[in-house]
Amino acid sequence: MKTLWQRLKPEIKQAIRNQEEKYPSMIKGVKIALKENYFWSHLTIGEARDIIYFTDYTYASMSSYDWSYGEKFIIEDE
């Protein structure tokens, strides 16, 4: 089974990497959370919020489904 980091959409992964120099500690935490979890629902609300923060999405644009399952961010398993 792939981790969330491995299943992250390329544009989301790149958006996170683009912020690495500016926010090294926060990005480190985001990457750890994504590499240690296999399901979006296993992330804490804070971890999901931090991931969203480093993308082009706003909190207001997120549906409850997006918050619960991370569909905008994750490539579904084949």
Side-chain angles (χ1 to χ4, degrees):
M1 179 176 281
K2 293 181 179 179
T3 66
L4 289 173
W5 179 256
Q6 293 168 322
R7 293 174 41 220
L8 211 57
K9 290 181 178 178
E11 63 272 17
I12 302 300
K13 197 179 281 190
Q14 189 59 50
I16 291 170
R17 286 183 175 141
N18 290 344
Q19 300 294 326
E20 212 158 6
E21 191 174 312
K22 191 172 183 179
Y23 303 103
S25 296
M26 289 183 74
I27 294 299
K28 182 180 179 181
V30 164
K31 287 172 89 173
I32 288 170
L34 290 167
K35 289 178 180 182
E36 290 182 349
N37 286 285
Y38 297 91
F39 301 101
W40 186 269
S41 60
H42 290 177
L43 297 172
T44 66
I45 292 170
E47 289 167 341
R49 183 197 63 224
D50 289 346
I51 294 164
I52 295 163
Y53 178 79
F54 292 113
T55 68
D56 292 330
Y57 294 107
T58 64
Y59 299 131
S61 71
M62 303 294 292
S63 70
S64 60
Y65 196 81
D66 294 325
W67 278 100
S68 299
Y69 302 104
E71 195 170 85
K72 287 184 178 180
F73 307 99
I74 301 301
I75 299 168
E76 290 301 316
D77 287 332
E78 295 139 11

